Amino acid sequence: MPKKKKDELEEKLVYKPKFIWNAVDAKKRKEIFGFAEDYKRFIGEVKTEREFVNRAREMAEKAGFVPMEKAKGKVGEKIYVINRNKSMALIVLGRRDIAEGSNIVVAHIDAPRIDLKPHPLYEDKETFLALLKTHYYGGIKKYQWVNIPLALHGMVYLKGGKTVDIVIGEDEKDPVLMLPDLLPHLARKVQGERKLFQGIEGEEMNLLIGSVPLKKDEEGEQIKLNILKILNDRYGITEKDLIGAELEVVPAEKPRDVGLDKGLIAAYGQDDRVCGYTTLRAILEIDRPEKTAIALLMDKEEIGSETNTGSKSSFIEYLYSQLISLEDGSFTPRDLYGAMTNAEVLSADVDAIMDPSFKQVHEPLNAAKASHGIVLTKYTGAGGKYSSNDAHAEFVGKILELFDENGVFWQAGELGKVDEGGGGTIAKFMAERNMDVVDCGPGLLSMHSPMEIASKADIWAAYRAYRVFFEKNH
Ligand code: MN
Ligand code: MN
């Protein structure tokens, strides 16, 4: 029949990404929702890079991973390396020499947030309030972070190498911190005439932390002193200790299902801990891969992958030199560059999915859609692909073939239409090491906001993609 012929031809020639919910059976659907519950628990508790590394180490040790110092170099051996408590590598040694190639999935575990200034605490005499001065981290729309409950997470150095971890605002009974916004009645001029992004300025992001004096009718800054006393009683810290501290202000909300059908998740920090978590889950489940599998969980992507815990750091070269030395005890620069040249990388980072209310920033044919699978982004950058990793046809082709052969749901996407804006990821820093790399992660709505939104189907698709890559990319 002519009609059937046309369908066959269409099937052969035309490509359309699949809507996952239409493509899976009831059993798979249950698996997707089950995976999402594990993910929600994790991302609701892990809100900083340090907390991620701590939790990942616990999970890795339970799964039989050992620190590099104890590694023997046997096939199938599971190893981890932690760099300054803020970035981490997990490795499963493959059957082949690392010189012949290795499979890396690299995600970042930092997220946009609000940091404290070195001298954060002050008492405002005119308003009888104590506040914290802040400095935002990463590309946020500052006005989104006001009037929501905020928690304080971090670490303070005390003396002689001793440190204390701080988490305030996560327990139901805990107080929270707030950035108060101006009432609309008085905001018409001072805020109404500003551009949206300047609605709240950096120096207006002053966090409420206190309002009760330590002693009544006393001179001095009694409200500030009260806060310092509370901090000292609880954590043993003084005002001076705050100077070098890493205290991160993050949304206090727990992850929530979105929609009556519960298909979406709203949570803080999904860029890029959704990739961090799915990469971690994938590497923990790998046994004796053909090629050595490496999960890199990196810090500082949101500020350009800088510092020694970011992806520009020689931590990655050092890791490769250690892995090469494990094989036969020797190591030359040629071995190092050879191994890196033959490495293949998925840069696991989120992309934008098409926003239903701002379609004009997307080009519909090339915009990623919710629940259509992991988004393969061949290039990012801005303008004429400036500052982008533009993945090679051979590598993209190979990865898509791998995904198709193993039932991974994927779609191609780009970060907005041409000249609309842009962004970058870790991909280009891996390409600088002569590795083959392509961006590949789930799409988000409300990216970089206090509650980012992802599809449960896409999260599951990302996990499947990374696992298939580790297991089957030869
Ligand atoms: Mn990211
Ligand atoms: Mn980001």
Side-chain angles (χ1 to χ4, degrees):
M1 290 180 295
K3 187 159 184 303
K4 188 155 185 276
K5 247 208 159 72
K6 186 178 166 250
D7 287 350
E8 272 171 16
L9 201 62
E10 214 175 276
E11 194 164 321
K12 187 178 161 198
L13 298 180
V14 176
Y15 170 72
K16 262 201 205 112
K18 291 192 184 83
F19 181 43
I20 296 177
W21 299 122
N22 279 348
V24 296
D25 57 18
K27 196 171 153 241
K28 268 275 125 67
R29 192 182 265 238
K30 214 174 146 201
E31 190 184 319
I32 292 171
F33 278 103
F35 189 87
E37 290 308 305
D38 293 347
Y39 169 64
K40 270 160 54 188
R41 251 193 310 281
F42 182 92
I43 199 156
E45 290 169 5
V46 170
K47 294 192 177 180
T48 69
E49 50 288 319
R50 284 177 190 273
E51 289 171 358
F52 197 116
V53 166
N54 275 339
R55 183 65 61 86
R57 182 184 41 216
E58 284 168 22
M59 290 166 70
E61 283 176 351
K62 218 183 244 176
F65 282 69
V66 298
M68 182 65 89
E69 306 79 70
K70 291 190 182 160
K72 305 216 165 57
K74 291 180 308 214
V75 172
E77 195 170 24
K78 301 176 176 196
I79 305 164
Y80 70 84
V81 183
I82 291 174
N83 187 18
R84 294 171 170 84
N85 303 318
K86 289 161 82 169
S87 60
M88 182 173 189
L90 296 108
I91 304 106
V92 183
L93 296 182
R95 290 192 283 265
R96 278 198 244 161
D97 277 4
I98 199 159
E100 292 173 42
S102 45
N103 291 324
I104 301 178
V105 180
V106 56
H108 67 92
I109 55 174
D110 63 322
R113 60 176 187 255
I114 303 168
D115 288 339
L116 301 189
K117 290 195 184 194
H119 288 288
L121 182 61
Y122 71 102
E123 176 170 332
D124 188 284
K125 282 291 195 189
E126 288 173 310
T127 58
F128 296 88
L129 297 167
L131 301 110
L132 295 171
K133 295 297 293 180
T134 67
H135 197 137
Y136 68 102
Y137 172 97
I140 61 168
K141 290 157 99 177
K142 302 181 197 80
Y143 67 85
Q144 294 179 332
W145 294 68
V146 295
N147 292 346
I148 58 168
L150 295 166
L152 191 66
H153 287 234
M155 187 276 266
V156 183
Y157 181 92
L158 298 172
K159 275 191 187 82
K162 257 182 71 182
T163 61
V164 60
D165 291 329
I166 292 181
V167 178
I168 302 170
E170 295 293 346
D171 192 280
E172 292 274 299
K173 285 175 240 136
D174 272 2
V176 295
L177 306 179
M178 293 279 285
L179 291 168
D181 196 2
L182 187 58
L183 64 167
H185 316 64
L186 299 178
R188 194 161 302 157
K189 268 191 268 174
V190 69
Q191 282 179 308
E193 289 164 17
R194 294 181 186 178
K195 287 191 167 167
L196 179 66
F197 277 33
Q198 280 93 53
I200 296 287
E201 300 273 23
E203 293 296 350
E204 292 163 350
M205 299 180 82
N206 302 315
L207 272 169
L208 278 178
I209 192 168
S211 60
V212 182
L214 183 63
K215 288 182 188 150
K216 63 179 182 179
D217 300 326
E218 289 267 339
E219 286 295 299
E221 299 181 317
Q222 289 293 323
I223 302 175
K224 173 178 168 178
L225 204 57
N226 199 16
I227 295 302
L228 283 173
K229 184 168 185 308
I230 292 167
L231 287 173
N232 189 261
D233 288 348
R234 202 175 297 173
Y235 304 108
I237 60 180
T238 65
E239 190 172 21
K240 196 172 116 187
D241 297 325
L242 296 176
I243 292 174
E246 283 179 16
L247 293 170
E248 306 181 5
V249 179
V250 298
E253 280 102 332
K254 295 283 165 214
R256 302 296 295 265
D257 289 335
V258 178
L260 304 190
D261 50 11
K262 301 185 176 179
L264 307 168
I265 294 174
Y268 165 67
Q270 300 207 66
D271 175 9
D272 185 34
R273 292 186 197 121
V274 65
C275 294
Y277 178 76
T278 47
T279 300
L280 177 62
R281 279 287 298 263
I283 193 100
L284 294 183
E285 292 166 7
I286 301 300
D287 272 313
R288 297 175 65 88
E290 180 72 20
K291 291 205 289 191
T292 293
I294 303 174
L296 292 175
L297 305 170
M298 304 303 289
D299 183 25
K300 295 286 188 288
E301 192 275 344
E302 295 295 353
I303 58 167
S305 296
E306 310 289 348
T307 88
N308 54 5
T309 52
S311 298
K312 288 182 186 171
S313 163
S314 62
F315 169 69
I316 295 170
E317 281 76 2
Y318 183 44
L319 175 71
Y320 266 83
S321 62
Q322 287 172 296
L323 292 174
I324 292 162
S325 305
L326 262 186
E327 278 174 358
D328 53 12
S330 78
F331 163 79
T332 67
R334 194 179 176 283
D335 295 336
L336 171 64
Y337 286 107
M340 291 201 299
T341 298
N342 289 332
E344 295 185 320
V345 186
L346 295 184
S347 167
D349 206 343
V350 295
D351 198 338
I353 46 175
M354 195 162 176
D355 189 312
S357 308
F358 291 96
K359 290 182 187 166
Q360 67 269 34
V361 305
H362 304 281
E363 184 270 285
L365 189 60
N366 285 285
K369 316 289 182 337
S371 312
H372 281 70
I374 191 165
V375 187
L376 187 124
T377 309
K378 189 172 181 293
Y379 51 84
T380 54
K385 300 191 179 180
Y386 190 75
S387 245
S388 155
N389 167 62
D390 201 350
H392 301 300
E394 295 92 330
F395 186 55
V396 174
K398 184 184 175 199
I399 294 301
L400 294 184
E401 210 170 8
L402 178 77
F403 285 174
D404 281 338
E405 278 167 7
N406 293 282
V408 172
F409 293 102
W410 63 272
Q411 57 183 324
E414 58 175 2
L415 190 55
K417 66 184 185 189
V418 179
D419 287 336
E420 190 66 40
T425 65
I426 287 170
K428 63 176 176 174
F429 305 115
M430 306 309 279
E432 280 176 14
R433 299 178 163 101
N434 204 18
M435 297 172 174
D436 267 322
V437 52
V438 66
D439 275 298
C440 191
L444 296 184
L445 284 172
S446 303
M447 197 192 294
H448 284 201
S449 80
M451 290 292 265
E452 303 172 305
I453 298 166
S455 156
K456 291 181 180 177
D458 293 335
I459 296 167
W460 175 78
Y463 154 71
R464 289 277 309 135
Y466 304 145
R467 193 165 163 180
V468 161
F469 178 74
F470 282 142
E471 275 176 342
K472 299 193 168 153
N473 181 48
H474 303 325

